C-alpha cells in the first residue's frame, strides 16, 4: 500500500521504522526540509495546513494518516469524498484539533472532563472562578497554548482569543491511556501509564508503566475508554490524557488523535509498541497484543537551556553501557532549549528500581550543542 503521513516528525519516523519489516511504501509531508522522516520515506516538503497541498499529496495514496493533528481537515474530508481512506477520519480530527469542539464532544457523550466555559475573542469576560486553566482553541502543542490563571494579578496575562476556560483540577496523578480501533470495530487498550511532567518546560519528563490503581479508579478509566471508543465512530489510535484528582475522581484532560509521547515506553516494555499498533490500524489488520511484559519507563531527551546549534549528546556513551536501557534519537541535527531530540527507555523489575534508573539516566546525559 501507498501510505501517506501528514507530518514528518519523530512520531512518523518511529512508525515507519517499525513498519519497515512489512511491505509498504511510506510518503510524508512536512514544511521542514530536514524533518526526521525526510530520509526514510518518499518525502514532500510542504504545508500540511494548506488545502491544495494536502489534497495533492493524498490523492494518489491508498490511505492517509497523521502524526500531528494541526492539519487541514477540510482537505482530508475531500480526500474521503474521492474514495481515499483517512485514518482517523476527518470528522474526529476536526473535533479534536479544536479544544472547544473537543470539550463539547466529551460533554455530549457523558465523558467526564473538568467543568468549562467557552471564551471568544471579542471579550475577556469570564464567569469561571479563580483559579482556572485557559487553553487556546487551536494550535496548542507540547504545553504551548495553555496557561494557569491563579490570581487576579494573573488576569492581565489572559489571552483574548477563542479559548476554553476550564476549572483547575487538584491533581494527584497525571495518567494516559492509549486506545486503538480498526475498521472492523476491534479495539485494544494499552496499560495505563503515569506521566511525570517537567514543571519548567511543561513537557513530559518521565513516563512509567504499569501503574497500579485502586479497582474503583480502574473502573472509571475503563468506562471512559469504552465511552470514547463508542463515540468516535472512526478507526484510529488515540492517546487519552487523564487527571486523577485527590478525591479519586478521573477526568479527561484532552485527547490526541495520533501516536503520543506517553506511549514511547511500549517500544521495549510491552508485547507490541504503539507504533506497531498504529500500523495495524492503518492497514485494518488484527490488532496487536498490548500487555506490559515488565516495568518500563521513558525519559525525554530535551535540548538543554543555553545551547542552540549542531547537537551533541553529552554522556551518551555511558548510557549505552547500561543494561536494559534503549536510546531512540529523532534524526534532528539542530538542538535548541526545550526541543525534543529523542528519548531513552528503561526496563526494571520493580517500580522503585525503575524510578531510580530513570533519575540516574537523566543525570547522566545532556543535550547540548557544539
Amino acid at each position: 500500500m501507498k501510505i501517506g503521513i501528514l507530518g514528518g516528525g519523530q512520531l512518523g519516523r518511529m512508525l515507519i521504522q517499525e513498519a519497515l519489516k512489512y511491505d509498504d511504501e511510506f510518503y510524508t509531508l512536512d514544511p521542514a526540509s530536514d524533518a526526521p522522516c525526510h530520509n526514510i520515506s518518499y518525502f514532500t516538503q510542504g504545508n500540511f495546513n494548506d488545502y491544495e497541498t494536502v489534497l495533492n499529496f493524498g490523492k494518489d495514496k491508498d490511505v492517509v494518516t497523521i502524526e500531528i493533528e494541526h492539519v487541514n481537515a477540510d482537505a482530508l474530508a475531500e480526500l474521503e469524498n474521492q474514495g481515499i481512506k483517512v485514518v482517523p477520519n476527518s470528522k474526529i480530527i476536526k473535533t479534536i484539533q479544536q479544544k472547544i469542539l473537543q470539550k463539547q464532544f466529551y460533554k455530549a457523550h457523558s465523558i467526564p472532563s473538568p467543568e468549562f466555559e467557552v471564551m471568544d475573542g471579542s471579550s475577556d469576560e469570564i464567569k469561571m472562578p479563580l483559579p482556572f486553566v485557559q487553553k487556546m482553541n487551536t494550535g496548542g502543542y507540547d504545553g504551548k497554548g495553555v496557561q494557569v490563571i491563579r490570581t487576579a494579578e494573573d488576569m492581565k496575562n489572559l489571552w483574548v482569543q477563542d479559548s476554553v476556560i476550564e476549572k483547575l483540577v487538584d491533581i494527584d496523578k497525571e495518567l494516559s491511556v492509549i486506545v486503538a480501533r480498526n475498521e472492523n470495530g476491534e479495539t485494544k487498550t494499552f496499560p495505563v501509564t503515569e506521566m511525570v511532567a517537567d514543571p519548567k518546560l511543561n513537557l513530559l519528563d518521565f513516563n512509567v508503566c504499569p501503574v497500579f490503581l485502586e479497582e474503583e479508579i480502574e473502573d472509571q478509566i475503563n468506562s471512559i475508554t469504552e465511552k470514547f471508543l463508542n463515540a468516535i465512530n472512526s478507526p484510529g489510535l488515540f492517546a487519552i490524557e487523564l487527571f486523577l484528582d485527590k478525591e479519586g475522581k478521573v477526568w479527561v484532560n484532552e485527547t490526541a488523535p495520533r501516536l503520543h509521547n506517553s506511549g514511547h515506553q511500549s517500544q521495549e516494555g510491552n508485547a507490541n509498541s504503539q507504533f506497531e499498533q498504529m500500523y495495524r490500524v492503518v492497514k485494518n489488520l488484527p490488532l496487536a497484543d498490548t500487555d506490559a511484559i515488565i516495568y518500563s519507563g521513558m525519559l525525554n531527551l530535551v535540548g538543554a537551556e543555553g545551547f542552540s546549534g549542531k547537537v551533541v549528546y553529552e554522556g551518551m556513551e555511558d548510557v549505552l553501557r547500561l543494561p536494559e536501557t534503549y536510546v531512540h534519537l529523532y534524526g534532528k541535527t539542530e538542538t535548541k532549549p526545550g526541543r525534543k531530540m529523542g528519548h531513552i527507555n528503561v526496563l526494571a523489575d520493580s517500580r522503585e528500581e525503575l524510578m531510580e534508573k530513570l533519575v540516574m539516566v537523566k543525570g547522566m546525559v545532556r543535550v547540548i550543542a557544539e
Side-chain angles (χ1 to χ4, degrees):
M1 287 178 70
K2 295 172 75 171
I3 298 172
I5 305 172
L6 297 184
Q10 63 262 22
L11 298 174
R13 178 185 175 93
M14 288 183 278
L15 170 60
I16 294 169
Q17 286 172 332
E18 182 68 27
L20 284 174
K21 63 190 179 187
Y22 300 110
D23 292 330
D24 296 279
E25 295 178 359
F26 286 89
Y27 298 76
T28 55
L29 174 70
D30 196 276
S33 62
D34 62 347
C37 288
H38 83 278
N39 56 0
I40 63 164
S41 64
Y42 297 101
F43 180 73
T44 301
Q45 186 178 1
N47 182 0
F48 42 61
N49 282 298
D50 181 72
Y51 182 91
E52 292 297 333
T53 301
V54 172
L55 204 60
N56 289 329
F57 173 77
K59 64 186 180 184
D60 63 343
K61 307 300 184 292
D62 295 304
V63 57
V64 175
T65 188
I66 62 171
E67 62 106 57
I68 184 170
E69 57 266 47
H70 305 304
V71 300
N72 195 302
D74 292 332
L76 291 176
E78 178 54 30
L79 287 171
E80 288 170 329
N81 291 337
Q82 295 179 13
I84 306 295
K85 185 165 72 169
V86 176
V87 178
N89 67 36
S90 62
K91 185 176 179 183
I92 194 67
I93 292 173
K94 196 163 194 172
T95 297
I96 288 176
Q97 69 185 190
Q98 298 181 58
K99 292 292 195 298
I100 293 170
L101 293 180
Q102 189 179 149
K103 291 288 289 188
Q104 291 169 342
F105 171 85
Y106 300 142
K107 188 173 182 179
H109 294 283
S110 301
I111 296 171
S113 186
E115 183 183 338
F116 74 103
E117 66 181 82
V118 173
M119 173 182 169
D120 66 36
S122 65
S123 168
D124 61 358
E125 186 178 335
I126 303 292
K127 296 177 183 174
M128 182 74 66
L130 293 167
F132 60 77
V133 180
Q134 182 180 24
K135 299 178 179 179
M136 288 197 302
N137 187 42
T138 58
Y141 187 66
D142 271 353
K144 300 176 181 68
V146 178
Q147 64 174 337
V148 179
I149 304 294
R150 298 182 183 277
T151 65
E153 178 67 14
D154 289 341
M155 287 293 290
K156 70 177 188 300
N157 299 321
L158 196 72
W159 301 313
V160 184
Q161 54 186 288
D162 292 356
S163 312
V164 165
I165 305 298
E166 187 176 274
K167 183 178 179 180
L168 185 64
V169 174
D170 190 10
I171 299 171
D172 181 41
K173 288 184 174 69
E174 292 192 48
L175 307 171
S176 175
V177 61
I178 292 178
V179 300
R181 173 178 165 173
N182 65 16
E183 285 177 81
N184 295 335
E186 182 187 5
T187 64
K188 287 274 188 178
T189 301
F190 279 86
V192 176
T193 62
E194 181 178 353
M195 301 183 290
V196 182
D198 182 316
K200 185 175 180 184
L201 293 173
N202 201 18
L203 282 174
L204 185 61
D205 198 4
F206 297 149
N207 197 53
V208 177
C209 180
V211 184
F212 291 100
L213 302 166
E214 293 177 10
E215 185 177 349
E216 194 273 331
I217 293 168
E218 288 187 349
D219 289 345
Q220 290 182 61
I221 295 172
N222 291 337
S223 173
I224 286 168
T225 57
E226 185 177 348
K227 286 179 180 179
F228 180 83
L229 287 165
N230 288 336
I232 55 172
N233 194 30
S234 172
L237 181 139
F238 302 86
I240 307 173
E241 296 180 55
L242 306 165
F243 293 141
L244 172 63
D245 73 19
K246 291 182 178 174
E247 295 180 355
K249 172 78 174 171
V250 180
W251 306 91
V252 175
N253 174 23
E254 58 187 42
T255 302
R258 53 167 171 81
L259 298 156
H260 196 259
N261 201 186
S262 66
H264 288 350
Q265 87 296 324
S266 65
Q267 288 168 303
E268 284 84 26
N270 292 67
N272 290 280
S273 72
Q274 65 167 335
F275 304 100
E276 172 74 24
Q277 196 72 293
M278 182 65 186
Y279 172 79
R280 295 192 186 200
V281 168
V282 167
K283 292 272 291 189
N284 194 31
L285 296 170
L287 296 184
D289 174 14
T290 60
D291 286 351
I293 55 177
I294 197 167
Y295 285 88
S296 61
M298 182 276 305
L299 65 96
N300 279 320
L301 292 172
V302 177
E305 201 65 43
F307 292 92
S308 294
K310 189 169 176 58
V311 65
V312 174
Y313 296 97
E314 185 179 73
M316 188 62 79
E317 286 192 17
D318 292 332
V319 171
L320 290 170
R321 292 188 179 96
L322 298 173
E324 297 187 306
T325 304
Y326 305 88
V327 175
H328 298 268
L329 302 182
Y330 298 159
K332 299 175 180 179
T333 57
E334 298 286 317
T335 185
K336 60 183 179 181
R339 189 182 194 198
K340 288 181 187 174
M341 302 298 291
H343 69 269
I344 298 174
N345 290 335
V346 173
L347 305 181
D349 293 323
S350 69
R351 181 184 171 95
E352 292 73 25
E353 181 192 359
L354 180 65
M355 295 307 296
E356 286 176 9
K357 289 175 76 171
L358 285 168
V359 170
M360 179 183 71
V361 172
K362 183 175 182 178
M364 291 172 67
V365 63
R366 266 202 324 159
V367 182
I368 60 173
E370 288 184 350

